[in-house]
Amino acid sequence: MELLWSPFVEFAFMRRALIGGIALAVSAGPLGVFLVLRRLSLMGDAIGHGILPGAALGFWLFGLSLPALTIGGLVAGLGMAGLAAWVTRRTGLREDASLAAIYPISLASGVLLLGLASKKLDLLHLLFGSVLAVDPPTLNGMLLVSIGSLIVLTLIYRWLLMDSLDPLFLASVSRFGAVAYGLFLSLVVLNLVIGFQAIGALMVVGLMMLPAAATQFWSRTLPLRLLLAAFIGATCVWLGLLLSYYSNLPSGPCIVLLAGLAYGASVLLGPLNGLLRRRPRLSPTC
C-alpha cells in the first residue's frame, strides 16, 4: 500500500499533479458523456487538436504563461468549432466531415509552430504531458475550471439533456437550447485547454472520452453514467501518475493507457452488451 501513496506524500509536484488531474477528470468525464450522447465523440478529438495552434502562438508571443496558453487555446478551439459549423451550414457538408477536414490542418499548424520554438520548449512535454508542468498557478487554474464547469453543467443540465435527445421539441418550447449548447461547447474547449499542460495536447482528449465511452456498458441512467465517468477518470489519473513515476514515462500516455484498459474491460465485462456477458442466441427449433 505504501507504494500507492508514498510519491504523493514525499513530493509536492506529484500532489499537485494528482489534485489537478482528478479535478480535470471529474469535470471532463461528464462532458465526454454528453458528447457520446450527442454522437459527437469525434468533436472532442478535433477540438483537442484544434487548440494546439492557439496555445503554440500564445507561447510564441508571451512564453510559458498560463493565461496566454489558455486564451490562445480557447480562441483557437472555439474558432475551429465555429468554422466547422459555418462550413456545415453554408455547404451542407456533415459536421463530422467538416471537423475531420479542419483538425489535421490545426494539428499540423500547431506542431509546426511548436517545432520552430522547440529550442525553448520541450515539445514532448507539451504533446504528451508532464507532471512537472503542474505548478501552483496551473493547479489553481485546473481547480477553477473544474469547479466552474461543474456549476455551469448543473445549471444547463436540463436544457442540454433535452437538446441532446429531442432538439426540435426543445426549440419549439424554449430558445435556450442553442445557448446551452454554446456554453457546453465552451466548457469542452476550456477543459481541453487547461488540461493539456499536465496530460498533453494529444492525450487530454482520451481522459475526456474513454471513461465516458466505458460507462455505456455499465448503466443506462445518465446521472449514474456521469458519476461513473468522473470516478473512472479520477482512478486512471491516480494509477497513471504512479505508473509514470515508477517507470519514468510521460504522464499523459500512462493515464490514457489505463483509461483505454478500463474501456477495454468494460467492452468485455460490462453488463450492458459486454462481449463476455451476452447470452448466446438460441437457434430456432422446428
Side-chain angles (χ1 to χ4, degrees):
M1 289 296 293
E2 183 180 353
L3 294 177
L4 299 178
W5 296 108
S6 59
F8 306 111
V9 175
E10 295 178 14
F11 302 106
F13 72 91
M14 289 293 291
R15 288 195 298 273
R16 291 195 297 267
L18 178 64
I19 296 171
I22 289 177
L24 179 66
V26 168
S27 61
L31 295 174
V33 171
F34 273 103
L35 285 174
V36 172
L37 182 64
R38 299 177 68 97
R39 294 185 175 90
L40 292 174
S41 303
L42 288 177
M43 178 175 284
D45 188 44
I47 294 176
H49 290 80
I51 67 176
L52 197 57
L57 188 59
F59 170 78
W60 188 276
L61 296 176
F62 300 101
L64 199 57
S65 166
L66 180 61
L69 293 174
T70 301
I71 294 173
L74 185 62
V75 171
L78 289 175
M80 193 209 68
L83 178 60
W86 180 82
V87 170
T88 298
R89 287 195 304 268
R90 291 285 183 172
T91 65
L93 187 67
R94 288 179 53 180
E95 189 171 8
D96 58 346
S98 300
L99 288 168
I102 293 173
Y103 89 75
I105 302 173
S106 299
L107 176 62
S109 302
V111 172
L112 180 61
L113 288 172
L114 291 173
L116 294 174
S118 60
K119 292 182 179 180
K120 297 184 293 181
L121 181 67
D122 190 335
L123 184 62
L124 289 179
H125 284 179
L126 192 57
L127 294 178
F128 301 109
S130 171
V131 293
L132 297 176
V134 187
D135 54 10
T138 303
L139 176 59
N140 292 335
M142 295 174 78
L143 292 174
L144 182 62
V145 168
S146 177
I147 294 172
S149 296
L150 292 175
I151 292 174
V152 174
L153 188 61
T154 301
L155 294 175
I156 66 173
Y157 174 84
R158 185 177 65 171
W159 290 277
L160 188 60
L161 177 60
M162 288 190 293
D163 188 55
S164 301
L165 298 178
D166 195 344
L168 295 178
F169 170 76
L170 180 60
S172 66
V173 299
S174 174
R175 296 182 178 180
F176 196 70
V179 177
Y181 179 66
L183 290 173
F184 167 72
L185 192 61
S186 300
L187 293 180
V188 171
V189 175
L190 195 57
N191 276 263
L192 293 176
V193 169
I194 201 65
F196 81 88
Q197 291 197 66
I199 311 299
L202 301 184
M203 297 287 105
V204 66
V205 179
L207 185 61
M208 177 177 288
M209 299 310 306
L210 286 170
T215 62
Q216 292 187 102
F217 298 93
W218 296 99
S219 176
R220 291 190 177 94
T221 305
L222 183 59
L224 183 56
R225 285 177 60 184
L226 298 176
L227 293 174
L228 280 174
F231 174 76
I232 293 172
T235 303
C236 291
V237 167
W238 170 46
L239 297 178
L241 288 174
L242 289 174
L243 178 60
S244 172
Y245 174 79
Y246 287 116
S247 60
N248 196 27
L249 294 171
S251 56
C254 291
I255 292 171
V256 174
L257 177 62
L258 290 176
L261 291 177
Y263 170 73
S266 300
V267 172
L268 291 175
L269 303 174
L272 300 180
N273 298 318
L275 296 178
L276 299 182
R277 299 289 292 270
R278 285 182 174 178
R279 294 181 179 179
R281 295 182 179 180
L282 298 178
S283 302
T285 58
C286 297

